[in-house]
Amino acid sequence: MSLIRHLKDTEPFNHLPEEIFQEISTAASVRKYPANHHIFHQNDPPTGYLYVIKEGLVEIVVTTPGGSDMVVDYRKEGTFFGGTPIFTGEPYTGGARTVKATECYLIPQDILKRAEKDHPQLSAYFARIVHSRVRQLYSEMVTDFTQKALTQVEAYPFKKRLSEIMVTTVVTCEADETAQQVARRLMEKKISSVLVLDEKNRPCGIITEKDLVYKVIAPEQANSQTLRARDIMTAHPYTMAPDTYMYEAMAYMTGHRIKHLPVIDRGEVVGIVTLRDLLRYRSQKAMVLVGTIRDETTLAGLAAIRREIVTVARALLSETRSTPEVMEIISYIHHGIIRRTYEICLEQHLAEGNFLPDIRYCFLIMGSGGRREMLLGPDQDHGFIFEDVPDERMPEIEGFFAPLAEKVVQALAQVGYPLCSGKVMANNPAWRGRLQDWEERIADWVHDPEPQKVRYSSIFFDFSPLVGDPTLAQDLRDRVHHLIREFPGFLYHVMSLDLRYKVPVGLLGRFIVDKGGEHEGELSLKQGGIVYIVDCIRMFTLEKEINRITTLDRLKALVESHVFAPETAEHIRAAFEALIFLRLRHEIAMVERGKEPSHHLDPYALPKNEQDLLKESFNAVSKLQDATKRHFAKTPF
């Protein structure tokens, strides 16, 4: 990687004059760091350098209130870190630790500080969140909550990444080594597996103790001196990246019934983890939810797991400052429960003598589930896509899937997922169909955007595949983009319907609460703010044909597409995180009082700083609404 060529293409350096680049080129040094080396720690004083990664991988870590390290970001080749203290003079807000052997360019701070005098965008960039009052208030609230929370389960291990627990010294062998040599290596190293490398030093297989028993020791004719590693290895082993969360790896290894998982970064072996490693770190309460869902055989058992989500949510919220990650983990557990419920229903349906039609199909999950933004009380939003088949086959297909859909809906209600009040469920014929049927429905929504159809579209457009052939979902998404491209005025109608209401804050800064009914004296965090952020961001991503899942991933993509400035996006992100945090914390409190979770709360019951945060968040939402209205009001018909 050429340092100067890279900086010239990277914000905020891309506007600097040539003479500064020449000075940087002369003054920059190169330093190598071994794997698992702390370049600096959180709260260390500034080292006086900006670090640009020439080769390797670095993780950014922060210390949790419990005193453990938590990985919050990764920096790869070509990216930089450690810049903010150069301009603020404050200690590092997070540490930097190498995942593998890493080489960095070190740019002295003196050059950057001199350049900043004529180019203030440098310091403005690195101080990007200091000026966000929403972010500041949100951080203060989370810190206060974390310090006061009495965590019921150990949550931090649930958040670990493989890079934090993997063994980095991986024992390997060549493909032509004998089985006897491999066995001796296992014995000498006191390990249970060896990775097999090909002629290019890339992993091509794995040999475990089980392989030796089944392929060398047990067979009568096997010869350990003539059998080669390539003969007994399991080819193309399952692998994962170093930034994979432990809960994902746990579920993956349990699902594939494997006990050894090589960790690969861009084709290179950087570590290995075993099921025993994961079990050693796992949280008894939290990990059991992920680890046992797949093996659960009853709806009552799944319902019990479903009820435990609140315990995990409270623990995770207490142990982390990343509310979106908490929401994604909760969604991951919900997805597992819903998928297993579907599988149980399918097994029962087949056992009753029904025959699965020979077609490609996909069970979709929509709304917050499709976005992986589920909290404690999600209802059911789902449907079926079938491949395009002749009309004469539809009675056979409906004859199987219609009663299956009814089973799934009732089973999910039994497990703890309420029926959708709008009947956006697979047992409704309007939410089942071939690709061509879905295309006709969406075309009807787009060309005749009356309010109910627009409401349906806002749920549907967040669909994701859960069971079956995911390529059908991608084909359907391509058709959605095609139809909106043909009639961009549809997004104007979506904007007109979704944004006709304002956030619940009056001109004098007073909260606007319900005047009567079940929620008298309360306001809705969902309908008053969260839904507007979700809908506005979705509109922009539909226009740009961006295929991202979560709201914040979509927001990031919109920054990359130059739709939003980074400062604007950060303001929106902070507001979204704050509203989700307040809602999830409130839902947890309600469930623990024996009530159903709700997104309605009394804003005046909040402390003064949290009321300020809520108003600032609503203010950010209001500005996003205005920007969305201005943009889509110009959309041609």
Side-chain angles (χ1 to χ4, degrees), residues 35 125 583:
Y125 178 89
R583 179 182 171 184

Side-chain angles (χ1 to χ4, degrees), residues 327 373 530 533-534 551-552 572-580:
M327 184 165 54
E373 293 172 359
I530 296 171
I533 296 178
V534 170
T551 297
L552 294 183
I572 297 168
R573 179 187 176 95
F576 183 73
E577 289 188 31
L579 292 171
I580 292 294

Side-chain angles (χ1 to χ4, degrees), residues 63-91:
T63 303
T64 68
S68 301
D69 282 345
M70 179 172 69
V71 180
V72 296
D73 198 6
Y74 279 85
R75 303 295 163 84
K76 298 184 178 182
E77 180 179 316
T79 59
F80 54 83
F81 59 92
T84 303
I86 289 176
F87 300 100
T88 65
E90 298 177 354

Side-chain angles (χ1 to χ4, degrees), residues 220-360:
E220 293 183 2
Q221 305 302 321
N223 186 327
S224 64
Q225 295 182 349
T226 58
L227 278 173
R228 303 294 172 178
R230 67 169 61 88
D231 301 322
I232 62 174
M233 72 182 187
T234 299
H236 311 297
Y238 295 108
T239 66
M240 281 192 158
D243 58 352
T244 303
Y245 283 114
M246 211 178 84
Y247 71 89
E248 294 178 290
M250 182 75 173
Y252 188 79
M253 295 177 75
T254 302
H256 289 87
R257 302 186 184 280
I258 57 175
K259 296 182 179 179
H260 305 82
L261 185 69
V263 183
I264 307 296
D265 180 43
R266 290 180 289 184
E268 179 184 346
V269 180
V270 295
I272 190 167
V273 293
T274 67
L275 196 57
R276 182 177 297 177
D277 295 329
L278 295 177
L279 293 173
R280 185 170 67 248
Y281 282 97
R282 74 175 182 177
S283 163
Q284 196 74 19
K285 274 276 190 181
M287 293 305 295
V288 74
L289 297 188
V290 177
T292 63
I293 288 172
R294 181 172 291 274
D295 295 326
E296 184 55 60
T297 59
T298 68
L299 297 181
L302 290 175
I305 294 174
R306 167 77 178 78
R307 290 191 293 271
E308 285 295 319
I309 293 179
V310 64
T311 306
V312 176
R314 192 182 199 285
L316 291 173
L317 203 62
S318 301
E319 290 285 346
T320 181
R321 300 188 181 196
S322 179
T323 306
E325 289 181 356
V326 176
M327 184 165 54
E328 191 162 355
I329 290 175
I330 293 172
S331 298
Y332 186 86
I333 298 172
H334 279 304
H335 282 196
I337 295 172
I338 295 170
R339 185 185 299 108
R340 185 63 189 129
T341 302
Y342 176 92
E343 291 169 350
I344 291 174
C345 291
L346 178 60
E347 291 164 5
Q348 179 186 352
H349 198 47
L350 293 172
E352 293 170 352
N354 298 288
F355 294 95
L356 179 64
D358 183 20
I359 62 164
R360 294 187 300 123

Side-chain angles (χ1 to χ4, degrees), residues 303 306-307 310 334 375-379 412-419 518-519 522 583-601:
R306 167 77 178 78
R307 290 191 293 271
V310 64
H334 279 304
L375 298 180
L376 298 189
D379 61 2
L412 286 173
Q414 185 177 336
V415 169
Y417 297 94
L419 303 182
E518 179 185 358
H519 300 293
E522 298 179 333
R583 179 182 171 184
L584 181 55
R585 189 186 63 178
H586 179 65
E587 287 189 0
I588 291 170
M590 293 194 70
V591 172
E592 292 180 341
R593 292 199 302 267
K595 297 182 178 181
E596 290 298 315
S598 171
H599 47 81
H600 291 85
L601 57 72

Side-chain angles (χ1 to χ4, degrees), residues 50 129 248 413 422 560:
L50 174 70
I129 68 171
E248 294 178 290
E560 294 167 354

